[in-house]
Every structure is written in C-alpha cells, then in structure tokens.
Amino acid sequence: MADGTAGQREWRIIGMDCGSCAAKVRGAVERLPGVEDVDVALMARRLRLTLDETQTSPERIENAVRGVGFGIAPKGARPEKPKGGFVLPDGAFPNAPEAVEIDSEPEEIAGPDDDAQTFWLKTSKGRLVFGTGALLAAAWASRLVQPAEIAHWAFVLATLVGIVPVAQRAFAMTRAGMPFTIEMLMTIAAGGALIIGEPEEAALVVFLFAVGELLEGASAGKARDSIRALSKLVPKTARLEVGGKTREIAAERLQLGQIVQVRPGDRVPCDGEVIDGTSGVDESPVTGESVPSLKEPGAEVFAGSINTEALLRVRVLRSAEDNTISRIVRLVEEAESARAPTERFIDRFSRVYMPAVVGVAVVVAIVPPLAFGQAWGEWVYRALALLLIGCPCALVISVPASITSALSTGARNGLLMKGGAVIESAARTSHVAFDKTGTLTHGRPRVTDVSVLSGTDDDLMALAAGVESGASHPLGQAICVEAERRGVQAATATGGRALPGKGAEASIDGVTVSVGSPRLANERGALTHDLRTRVTALEAQGKTVVIVLREDVPQGLIALRDEPRADAADAVAQLRGLGISSVMLTGDNARTAQAIAEGLGIEHRSELMPEDKVTAIRDLTVNARVMMIGDGINDAPALAAAHVGVAMGSGTDVALETADAAILRNRVADVVGLVRLSRATMSNIRQNIAIALGLKAAFLVTTVLGITGLWIAILADTGATVLVTMNALRLLFFRPTGTAEPAGYVGLTAETRPGQAASTI
C-alpha cells in the first residue's frame, strides 16, 4: 500500500487437501515480518492476512507459499497449479481425457485445476501414483526374471524417483521452520529403509503414500462439492434488455436497475422484482418449497429459482455478489474461519504429538541395541515405522472435516451457522429462550373473532375497513386484509384521522364511525357492562379487542391476535424431548403472554424491555448454556448476551448481523434441527478423534513389538485420514428435521413476504 499502513490481503491456495496442508501454509507466512491475523480456510482454499508491505511484500508471501509446494494467486486472478510432484512427459497418454476447464466458476469455490473437476491422471498427485506404481511393478517383474542384485537396484530406483519430490517439499518446509511434517518423516523412513537394506519395502511405502495423498485430495474435493453446487444454482448468463432488444451477457455483470427477460424453463439470473408478466416460479432450489409461487408485477424473485409458465421481465435489485445464493455461500465459507475450541485444542496437541513420537522413535532405535545388545537393523526399522505413525494428518483434519460437512448440510436445510464454535456451543445448549412476536408467532395480527351487536358481520367489517383504509397500524392493516379475504367492499370514508393510542375514526355516509380500543369506548360512554364482559373474555385469551362505534353507539367487536406458528408447540415439545427447557421472553402484557405460553406449553416472562431481556438471558447463563431465538432490533442485545444467538430469517439486518446463526425458513422446528445437527456433528468429531488416535495407538504397539512394518504404518496413517474424512462426509446426508428435504438448496420460505429477502442472510 502506498502509505505503508497494514491492510488485509487475500489469496487463493491450490493443493490443500487436509488440515496439515493448511498448517503448512499458515506456518510458511506467519513467521514473516509484518504479517498478522493469518487465516487459512481449507475448504474455501483461502489465505487471508493483515500485511504491512513496508516489511514484507505480497510477492514474498506468494514465494513463501510456493516454496512449501502450493499454488497461489491473488483473489480474483486465475489460480496457478502447485509446482512439484511426479510429472510424466506430455503426450505419454494420448488417449487420456483432458482436464475440464471451468472458466466461469467463482474463484472462491472452484478453478480450472480443481482436483474434483480434473481427470486424476492429469494432476501431479495422479501422475505420482501412476509413476511410482509403474516403477514398483517393473521392479517386482525384474525380480522374477533378473538376478537379485538387479532387482535390488530396481527397487532403489523406484524409491528414489518417488521420494525426490517429497524430499524437496520436506526440506523446503524445514527451511520455513517446519521440520516435523509427513514429508520429512516419509523422507527419513524411505531413506532409512534403503540404508538398512529394505528397498522393496521402501518402494512400497512411497507408492502407498502417493495413493494416500490422492485419496485425501479426492475426499477433500467431495467435501467441497456441496458448497460448489450452491454456486451452480445461479445461471451463468442472462438475457439483458437494451434498447428494445435482448442480448446475452454474463450474469455476474448485471447492474442494479437493469431489465432482464426470464423465459419459461430458465433459471432467474438475479435477485429482482417482476415488472411485467405473470407466471409460476419454482423456488425449490432456493426455498425448498415444492409448490411454484405465483409471481406478478411487484413480486420479488430470487436468483436460482426456475420460471415455469410464462415470460417475465425482471428488474435487477441486487448485484451478483449480493444475491441470496452468494450470501449463503459466503457465510458458509466465512464460517470455516471461526474455529471450534476442540479444533484449536487438537491443533495445539498435534504440535506436541509429532515431536513426541519422533522422540519415541529415536529411543526405540538406540536404546535396545545399546542397552540390551539387540540388532541395530531390526530396531532402526521399527523406529522408521514409528515415524510414519507420528503424522498427525488424520487427527488435525478430524474436526474441520466434520465442521465443514455440517455447515454445508445446514445451508442445504436453511440453517446457517457462523463457524465451528457456534456448532460446539449449540450442541451443549440446555435452555432455549424465544422472543414471541415474529419468532413463536407470525408477527402479524390476524382477525380471530367478529361479534356483531347491530347488523351483519359483513356490515361491521365494511365499516371497520372503511375507517382503516390506508392505515399503517398493524391492527388496521389486519382488519383490511380480513375484509378483503371475506370479499367485503370497504365503505367509502372521508376525513379519516388517527386517534393516537386509541384508534381511528372517519366519516361514512355523513356519520362519524370510530374503530378503537375499549378505552376509547369507555371515554365515550359506550362500554356497557355486557360489552365489558365480552371484552374481558376475549382479552383473557390473549386477544386484542377493538370496538366499532357509529355515532358513539357500539356496532360490534373485532378481536385480533398474533397467532403462534403452526409448528411452535411441536417444536417446544421436541426440545423438551431433547432435555432442553424453553422460555418465552416478550414485551407484551402478562395476560396475552400467558395465553400464548399456555397454548405452547412453555414458561414465559412478560412486559420486558430490551434491557430486561438481556438481564433475563444473563440470569439464565449463570447455570445453563442458553440459546436465544429472536428477529427484531430489540432482540439484538439479547442475542449477543446468549451463548448462541439465532435470528429468524425474516428478521432485521441488525438481528442477523448480531446472531451466531440464522434460521432461514422461519420455522420454529428448525431450532430443533439446529440442535440435532450440532449434536450429531460433535458426535462425529468424537468418532473421528477416536479413529485417528485409536488406529495410531494400536499400530504404535504392534510396531514396537515387531508385528507390523513400514508399509502397514503408512496404511495406518493414510487410511486413518481417509476414514476420518469419509466419516465426516456422512454428515452431508444428515437430515436435521428427520425427514428428507425437497431437491435443491434452501434459503427463504414462501412465507417470506416480498421486500424481506434482503434481510435473510
């Protein structure tokens, strides 16, 4: 930077397949002067750091990463391939498929050299497997037809050819201050096996190591597939209207305010607003809802949804990097950087574990021969096998592999979590605190009762809708919606005005009509004993009552209530089944809160100001692990105070920014799904740690006892890594709700109203 101040820089890394790879990249750059806040994301293949260019240039960062065997390119640039590895001559396999080029993939997700998208033989790891395998097979064949001495040297040659690129990386990382790496252990083990006269086993170990590296890359690619699939929901091109004509352009180049055409069968290329046309739109790729949603002028559509019936003209509302799908992908990627406490502990442990195993190997190599007169060759061989067991790859990847799979599964099911720390905290939740309005309830009052004193129901609704026409108050809007639903035409009103805190009134047919609270009726002497009894009975049910007056004469009552969501009671019951207590925190009056809480079977605290909610959360956190669910600005402080803050998808931007997680489908039952997914993830992590440490412990004993040798040791190492990764991938098939979801990736629900989508992520 020109002024020499520190600033954040970002690169894309190619060639990372496991946690130890990420550790190598981190170790290569964090020792450089002027480098701080190093963040290496394995699944996103991202290196981000704060750099003071007066001390270290970006070019030096890139050279340091290349020096330890990885490809690197600045964010947005075309990624390069990592150098090194066994490379066969061009044209050696003329019939091999060509690598698949992906020019339009987002740089953060995939690239032209992505192993998951490239024929394995065209990668350096694939060529290393083929080359070492071919040389090993040739050496075995030579042993059958050639003298033993020639076969011996054939195995030596196979070992040297395969180990040279590994040794180059090992010494490069040693120069970078990282001597304890699997590459260095492999180099020592293979070289030592040659020295003690075991070239056949050395060659086999080199080949198995190459196979393990290839399998690790394939497993990591599989873990990235689900994130990559999200980005593919958005079409690459869009039909842009320019001067009355249409032309195709890249969807990522669309600008705000431009008009695009979406033909039947096409995917919508942007988040936008329909300005012309009426059609059903299949939003299942975005919302998970299988029934097409009717879109008319003024309705909002989401990138990735599918137009099913007729041509739509859509105005672009959000840029490509800010649409619904992009936000989900970005949040999943960013969440990888928020490391779980377990992951941080494993990382610290692995830094001690490998040197400790190396120390044990040295003791095994020298103590028996020196102290007990045992054969040097035998105990050096066992020590070399121990070195291979000392690689912590499986242990290091045990946590991030599970976390990444869980984040991807959550994104597909409308559950976004900001990292492993959130998953770990959510798994330990013992109490859930719910906001009421907009969380346990829809957040929109609805007419529940119409009680007529004079005339008919339709007459009463016509008068009330006439007074409330154009109202901004939620109760007035609910009355107008109910009248429209009943097919009642609102009476023509003039001179309408609001009565602050009491209601509204207007003139209808020359007569003053008022729609207001019982307090207004009481002030005007219209609240009779019978009317008061009816009001009290309705309010006891948690309903808000308005009275329609015509020249201060009661015409009838209209009761409204913000109804609980359909799945709220079942969700509270499911949480109880998981051993989790629930409580509702609301600013509503005690009578309304009690009525709602009794219907849901939940404890409640009422008449709480925002600061009171924070106090309530802090009281709970003294002896419990608390998750807070909310949606409004007033919930943001409480979300921050809880161990885990979860925002409903239709909530405000402030709540979503403050929260640790988001439920995009506005289903209370998804709170249960989030807890289940978190618990399943932590169980998966424990399984992975047991696999990694258990296999190594078992083979450490058998190796010291002389039961297993070098090639079994390398199988134990690479096999554990592959087993851990494959076990973590099982989370991709986990269903948090216990039922299969519709095809596609979820984001918002059909319940989300137009205009709300901007605040869903």
Side-chain angles (χ1 to χ4, degrees):
M1 299 171 195
D3 59 0
T5 59
Q8 192 175 80
R9 297 294 297 263
E10 186 173 321
W11 290 266
R12 180 157 184 248
I13 309 297
I14 299 300
M16 293 193 300
D17 295 322
C18 67
S20 63
C21 293
K24 292 167 188 173
V25 173
R26 186 182 301 110
V29 300
E30 66 183 0
R31 293 177 175 83
L32 298 176
V35 173
E36 296 178 351
D37 304 324
V38 178
D39 171 31
V40 182
L42 173 63
M43 292 304 165
R45 295 181 169 182
R46 181 188 67 239
L47 166 63
R48 181 183 294 160
L49 50 79
T50 301
L51 178 64
D52 183 352
E53 295 189 30
T54 60
Q55 300 184 58
T56 297
S57 67
E59 291 75 19
R60 187 176 176 187
I61 298 290
E62 294 171 6
N63 290 335
V65 173
R66 293 188 186 102
V68 292
F70 298 95
I72 182 171
K75 180 181 179 181
R78 188 176 182 83
E80 63 181 22
K81 295 185 179 182
K83 295 181 173 60
F86 185 91
V87 180
L88 295 175
D90 290 337
F93 299 92
N95 295 323
E98 292 298 321
V100 178
E101 293 292 330
I102 307 175
D103 294 329
S104 56
E105 286 286 354
E107 293 298 334
E108 290 77 12
I109 303 299
D113 59 342
D114 194 324
D115 292 345
Q117 300 291 320
T118 306
F119 179 59
W120 69 272
L121 189 56
K122 304 292 285 187
T123 67
S124 61
K125 291 182 179 180
R127 293 183 178 186
L128 181 61
V129 168
F130 185 90
T132 54
L135 290 170
L136 182 61
W140 270 330
S142 69
R143 188 173 61 177
L144 298 176
V145 298
Q146 299 290 338
E149 185 176 351
I150 294 178
H152 172 90
W153 288 108
F155 283 115
V156 171
L157 177 63
T159 302
L160 292 177
V161 170
I163 202 64
V164 164
V166 178
Q168 289 175 337
R169 295 202 304 272
F171 289 115
M173 282 180 278
T174 299
R175 289 193 298 270
M178 293 175 287
F180 297 106
T181 62
I182 182 58
E183 287 81 5
M184 179 58 74
L185 300 183
M186 268 298 305
T187 302
I188 295 173
L194 291 179
I195 293 172
I196 64 176
E198 297 286 349
E200 182 176 351
E201 194 149 5
L204 180 59
V205 165
V206 171
F207 171 69
L208 291 176
F209 174 74
V211 172
E213 290 275 281
L214 184 65
L215 289 176
E216 286 179 5
S219 298
K222 180 65 176 177
R224 293 184 179 105
D225 281 347
S226 56
I227 301 177
R228 182 184 297 111
L230 281 170
S231 66
K232 290 183 177 179
L233 291 176
V234 181
K236 304 304 177 188
T237 61
R239 291 173 55 84
L240 177 66
E241 286 190 6
V242 180
K245 298 181 180 180
T246 61
R247 62 186 179 91
E248 284 200 355
I249 67 167
E252 62 185 18
R253 292 171 51 197
L254 289 175
Q255 303 293 320
L256 300 184
Q258 289 183 326
I259 307 299
V260 296
Q261 290 185 0
V262 185
R263 298 170 298 186
D266 286 353
R267 285 187 183 271
V268 179
C270 61
D271 282 5
E273 178 186 5
V274 176
I275 61 171
D276 185 39
T278 300
S279 177
V281 174
D282 177 7
E283 295 182 332
S284 62
V286 182
T287 68
E289 302 295 339
S290 57
V291 179
S293 176
L294 180 64
K295 299 296 181 180
E296 299 175 308
E300 189 165 359
V301 291
F302 310 119
S305 55
I306 304 168
N307 184 17
T308 61
E309 297 172 354
L311 180 72
L312 293 176
R313 296 175 66 237
V314 176
R315 177 184 292 111
V316 180
L317 292 184
R318 280 178 287 280
S319 59
E321 63 271 12
D322 199 38
N323 66 39
T324 302
I325 298 298
S326 295
R327 288 186 174 194
I328 293 175
V329 171
R330 187 162 57 247
L331 183 55
V332 172
E333 288 186 339
E334 292 297 329
E336 189 183 348
S337 299
R339 306 170 72 198
T342 301
E343 182 180 356
R344 291 194 294 268
F345 170 76
I346 292 295
D347 189 38
R348 293 193 301 269
F349 175 75
S350 65
R351 295 179 184 180
V352 178
Y353 168 79
M354 185 181 287
V357 171
V358 171
V360 171
V362 172
V363 171
V364 169
I366 65 175
V367 171
L370 291 178
F372 306 104
Q374 300 291 316
W376 279 96
E378 178 183 348
W379 287 97
V380 168
Y381 176 86
R382 296 183 186 184
L384 294 176
L386 278 180
L387 287 179
L388 297 181
I389 295 174
C391 175
C393 287
L395 186 62
V396 170
I397 202 175
S398 60
V399 179
S402 298
I403 294 296
T404 301
S405 294
L407 292 174
S408 179
T409 295
R412 293 202 315 273
N413 289 275
L415 309 172
L416 295 186
M417 294 169 282
K418 298 179 181 178
V422 176
I423 292 176
E424 189 162 334
S425 293
R428 299 166 59 193
T429 295
S430 61
H431 286 67
V432 173
F434 290 96
D435 170 53
K436 181 182 78 70
T437 305
T439 301
L440 289 173
T441 67
H442 291 279
R444 303 184 300 274
R446 298 177 182 177
V447 173
T448 59
D449 301 88
V450 177
S451 179
V452 178
L453 300 176
S454 176
T456 66
D457 287 2
D458 287 353
D459 292 338
L460 185 67
M461 291 304 300
L463 288 175
V467 173
E468 297 290 0
S469 295
S472 59
H473 193 281
L475 296 180
Q477 292 177 342
I479 290 172
C480 292
V481 168
E482 178 65 14
E484 184 177 351
R485 187 189 69 80
R486 293 174 177 236
V488 174
Q489 182 70 36
T492 303
T494 59
R497 69 188 185 95
L499 303 173
K502 301 175 184 178
E505 66 180 16
S507 177
I508 298 177
D509 295 331
V511 176
T512 300
V513 178
S514 305
V515 179
S517 64
R519 175 185 172 189
L520 176 66
N522 186 52
E523 289 179 355
R524 296 187 176 182
L527 192 62
T528 63
H529 176 73
D530 177 62
L531 199 56
R532 189 188 303 274
T533 301
R534 294 192 186 193
V535 169
T536 301
L538 290 169
E539 288 183 341
Q541 301 173 35
K543 299 174 182 178
T544 300
V545 180
V546 297
I547 302 175
V548 180
L549 304 174
R550 182 185 177 96
E551 292 290 2
D552 294 338
V553 176
Q555 304 297 302
L557 308 176
I558 299 176
L560 306 95
R561 189 169 75 168
D562 182 10
E563 291 292 288
R565 296 184 187 274
D567 64 340
D570 182 59
V572 171
Q574 289 188 55
L575 287 172
R576 192 180 304 115
L578 294 175
I580 297 175
S581 302
S582 301
V583 61
M584 181 180 74
L585 307 179
T586 179
D588 274 356
N589 63 74
R591 189 159 46 186
T592 299
Q594 182 175 355
I596 295 292
E598 287 178 351
L600 298 178
I602 189 175
E603 296 180 9
H604 72 280
R605 300 185 188 183
S606 58
E607 300 180 358
L608 301 178
M609 298 296 287
E611 57 270 24
D612 298 326
K613 289 185 179 181
V614 173
T615 301
I617 292 294
R618 288 176 176 167
D619 290 343
L620 288 172
T621 57
V622 173
N623 299 309
R625 301 291 298 183
V626 181
M627 177 185 292
M628 170 69 189
I629 320 294
D631 74 316
I633 292 176
N634 63 326
D635 296 323
L639 292 173
H643 292 110
V644 181
V646 181
M648 297 294 279
S650 61
T652 64
D653 288 331
V654 173
L656 290 164
E657 287 296 325
T658 305
D660 302 303
I663 294 174
L664 301 184
R665 298 183 298 187
N666 293 329
R667 300 177 185 176
V668 183
D670 281 351
V671 176
V672 184
L674 190 149
V675 173
R676 285 177 176 158
L677 177 59
S678 299
R679 290 184 176 182
T681 303
M682 295 310 298
S683 175
N684 190 274
I685 287 172
R686 287 190 289 271
Q687 294 167 11
N688 282 348
I689 293 174
I691 291 171
L693 292 180
L695 279 176
K696 290 184 181 295
F699 283 103
L700 187 146
V701 173
T702 58
T703 298
V704 172
L705 295 177
I707 300 173
T708 55
L710 282 175
W711 70 276
I712 290 292
I714 193 65
L715 278 182
D717 173 58
T718 58
T721 302
V722 172
L723 282 176
V724 162
T725 305
M726 297 304 293
N727 186 53
L729 291 178
R730 291 192 306 114
L731 287 171
L732 294 175
F733 305 99
F734 182 79
R735 293 290 178 265
T737 58
T739 57
E741 296 295 339
Y745 293 83
V746 300
L748 311 171
T749 67
E751 183 183 16
T752 303
R753 301 185 303 278
Q756 289 184 326
S759 65
T760 56
I761 298 178

